Amino acid sequence: GAPLLLTLALVLGTLGDVLLAQPRGPRLLVGLAAFLAGHLAYAALFIRIGDGFAMLTTVPWRGALAAILLLATLWTLRHLRPHLGAMTWPVTGYAIVSVIMGAAALTLPIGVGLGLAMTGAGLFILSDAILGFDLFRPPASERLQRFMATQLWALYWVGQALILTGVLSAL
């Protein structure tokens, strides 16, 4: 009974997980494409059930969170760019779509669970940032790498679960 766009986003996320299980070589680009398509499905879903992008200019806290999301994305790209090489444009495109998805989530009404979906989208985006550093600028310390991997997976799965639970409870 879940909306098609929600199901599509979850399936594309699973496909991305499978493809990034060994994130080197051609599977990396295909895995990122699957996640990008999943972000687009989430964005379309959030736009459909949200209250419109005008909320980002008329509700101060939503606009502030959108600005923080944009600034954090620019900061992340600035620190990753020297390490991206041929992946500069694909990663930049992915980051743009993530910002769109995050902004669309910020238009969701808070009541009836959609606040959970909004929070989940933020956690999902944060897990993407950690994944970017893990893939393109990994820390030298093995201990820090393990910590990052643990945080990445926790944020990703909790984020996905909150989006799913929030959207389903709002139906």
Side-chain angles (χ1 to χ4, degrees), residues 23-110:
R24 302 294 178 240
R27 294 179 79 170
L28 174 62
L29 197 53
V30 178
L32 289 177
F35 279 122
L36 180 124
H39 279 307
L40 289 171
Y42 275 137
L45 173 66
F46 298 154
I47 289 167
R48 178 174 287 180
I49 62 178
D51 290 333
F53 283 110
M55 289 190 75
L56 302 181
T57 60
T58 59
V59 181
W61 69 267
R62 291 175 189 261
L65 287 176
I68 290 168
L69 172 61
L70 180 60
L71 290 172
T73 301
L74 292 172
W75 181 90
T76 300
L77 284 172
R78 178 175 174 252
H79 288 277
L80 289 179
R81 189 170 302 267
H83 308 278
L84 295 175
M87 293 296 291
T88 297
W89 289 112
V91 170
T92 301
Y94 185 92
I96 291 167
V97 169
S98 291
V99 169
I100 292 168
M101 190 267 289
L106 287 169
T107 72
L108 295 173
I110 296 297

Side-chain angles (χ1 to χ4, degrees), residues 101-159:
M101 190 267 289
L106 287 169
T107 72
L108 295 173
I110 296 297
V112 198
L114 290 178
L116 293 175
M118 184 188 303
T119 302
L123 295 177
F124 187 10
I125 292 168
L126 183 55
S127 75
D128 280 344
I130 294 171
L131 178 62
F133 280 98
D134 185 52
L135 290 173
F136 301 108
R137 193 176 174 186
S141 160
E142 186 176 321
R143 185 175 181 195
L144 184 54
Q145 284 177 338
R146 282 194 311 272
F147 176 78
M148 284 175 58
T150 302
Q151 298 310 304
L152 181 151
W153 282 107
L155 291 166
Y156 173 71
W157 284 109
V158 170

Side-chain angles (χ1 to χ4, degrees), residues 11-38:
V11 167
L12 289 165
T14 301
L15 177 61
D17 289 339
V18 169
L19 291 167
L20 290 181
Q22 295 180 356
R24 302 294 178 240
R27 294 179 79 170
L28 174 62
L29 197 53
V30 178
L32 289 177
F35 279 122
L36 180 124

